[in-house]
Amino acid sequence: MTSVGGVQMVDWNLAVTTATRLVRPGPEISREEAREVVAELRRHAVASEEHVRRFTRMQPPSANGDAADAPVLVVDRASWVRANVAGFRELLAPLLVRMRERRAGPGGAVLGAVGGKVTGVEVGMLLSFLASRVLGQFETFAPVTRNLPGAADGGGRLLLVAPNIVHVERELDVAPHDFRLWVCLHEETHRTQFSAVPWLRDHLRGEIQAFLEETDVDAATLLERLREAAQSLTGARPQGEDGEDKADHSFVELVQTPAQREILGRLTAVMSLLEGHADYVMDGVGPQVVPSVAEIREKFTKRRASGAGRLDQALRKLLGLDAKLRQYREGERFVRTVVDEVGMDGFNKVWTSPNTLPTKAEIAEPADWVARVHR
């Protein structure tokens, strides 16, 4: 439980309970088929590790080159929720401390009336939306729990959400074996990024903590943003006094300050790099090991761009997920352009230090990054 000025701000246990109660049921599947899916995803994860390392030429700096300290877990939707709540609790700690310092402000009264249980329900509603859509996720800041092991040093874990993978492969009507391997290639790239670039996790953590420490928002405003997102799930599209549709804004955009915009620009560039690199690797390795990769990519790209309806699109905008889709496209273009220009080894200079990471402007103009780093 997290409190601000003695008032419970977020009932995390209730958030988990709410999300697992509201999350959509997974696809119908027999127990035997479920075991086969889990076993196959584990095999593909192991195979993907070698494929990705050979293609990217990225190796962990450890003596044996083993990334097993960041485990691969095949999970259901409820386990994905629990894992992400644990991560949120850790990352949001600085923001909650800041709000505790401001407990005498307007947020204190609102929290006294609303309480952590309402906030927990609203967080749970958001997680229930996301839990049925995420195929895989590398948890960079994963605290170790009894049911969800992670690296001993907190170095992360890779989650593959089995019911969502099965749902999408059926929806797209693609070969299950090929699609599962294709997904594993993308997610294994993220695991390789963080295992081969040890400073990257601490760099990202520092940027995120700086972003949160600069947050100039009281608890009442934060609760309002959560409520707007939750209302989008029920079809109550929140509007401002001027009639402006707030669902046309991202959650992040609504809470950021001018100081945060600079940090957010750097974070956006890094995330564009990581996501674009994963897409580039997935497409580069895919033709060698996934027979139907062209069909999968075409169908998946159309699905990724179209969304699943008006409510889905409204919430995607509010949470900034539309921006994430742009990151895939812009980041992949950056990686492809740089590799074409200076080769894979030349591109891999991007992982040398925080100073060699591309800026947001360089993501849009890859030639500027090449000129700066390779001059």
Side-chain angles (χ1 to χ4, degrees), residues 83-313:
N84 277 267
V85 164
F88 288 159
R89 293 183 73 161
E90 181 170 323
L91 279 181
L92 288 177
L95 177 60
L96 300 181
V97 169
R98 183 178 177 85
M99 288 183 174
R100 186 182 301 119
E101 295 170 351
R102 301 179 56 176
R103 61 186 179 273
V110 173
L111 280 172
V114 177
K117 292 191 179 300
V118 172
T119 315
V121 168
E122 292 176 343
V123 170
M125 292 177 71
L126 295 178
L127 288 171
S128 71
F129 169 83
L130 295 171
S132 61
R133 286 159 174 78
V134 175
L135 301 182
Q137 171 189 7
F138 184 81
E139 276 199 293
T140 314
F141 313 109
V144 177
T145 67
R146 183 169 59 86
N147 296 321
L148 290 166
D153 63 349
R157 59 182 166 231
L158 178 59
L159 306 180
L160 298 172
V161 190
N164 296 348
I165 293 173
V166 172
H167 171 78
V168 174
E169 71 190 27
R170 291 179 177 179
E171 181 183 276
L172 298 181
D173 190 26
V174 293
H177 173 86
D178 288 3
F179 184 74
R180 294 166 194 173
L181 176 56
W182 190 72
V183 170
C184 287
L185 289 171
H186 183 279
E187 302 307 330
E188 177 57 38
T189 302
H190 287 314
R191 191 167 76 125
T192 297
Q193 289 164 347
F194 285 93
S195 61
V197 188
W199 57 263
L200 184 58
R201 177 169 58 106
D202 288 340
H203 173 71
L204 269 181
R205 181 191 293 273
E207 292 282 56
I208 292 171
Q209 299 297 359
F211 181 89
L212 294 176
E213 288 170 3
E214 288 292 334
T215 297
D216 186 19
V217 58
D218 57 45
T221 303
L222 183 61
L223 286 173
E224 182 184 354
R225 299 289 84 82
L226 287 172
R227 187 165 297 108
E228 289 168 2
Q231 288 171 343
S232 292
L233 285 171
T234 63
R237 293 168 63 83
Q239 292 186 339
E241 292 181 1
D242 58 357
E244 180 184 13
D245 190 346
K246 293 184 180 179
D248 286 338
H249 297 291
S250 131
F251 180 86
V252 172
E253 289 170 347
L254 287 168
V255 302
Q256 69 175 295
T257 64
Q260 284 178 299
R261 291 190 180 97
E262 295 183 14
I263 303 172
L264 189 61
R266 296 194 299 269
L267 278 171
T268 298
V270 175
M271 297 312 297
S272 296
L273 170 68
L274 298 179
E275 296 294 357
H277 183 236
D279 265 14
Y280 178 82
V281 172
M282 181 172 60
D283 288 344
V285 176
Q288 306 169 34
V289 297
V290 182
S292 59
V293 64
E295 176 190 3
I296 291 173
R297 166 54 89 182
E298 180 182 3
K299 290 183 175 180
F300 190 79
T301 300
K302 289 180 179 179
R303 179 185 185 275
R304 178 189 275 176
S306 65
R310 182 177 179 183
L311 291 180
D312 187 75
Q313 291 171 359

Side-chain angles (χ1 to χ4, degrees), residues 308-319:
R310 182 177 179 183
L311 291 180
D312 187 75
Q313 291 171 359
L315 192 57
R316 277 170 45 172
K317 284 185 178 181
L318 189 61
L319 294 175

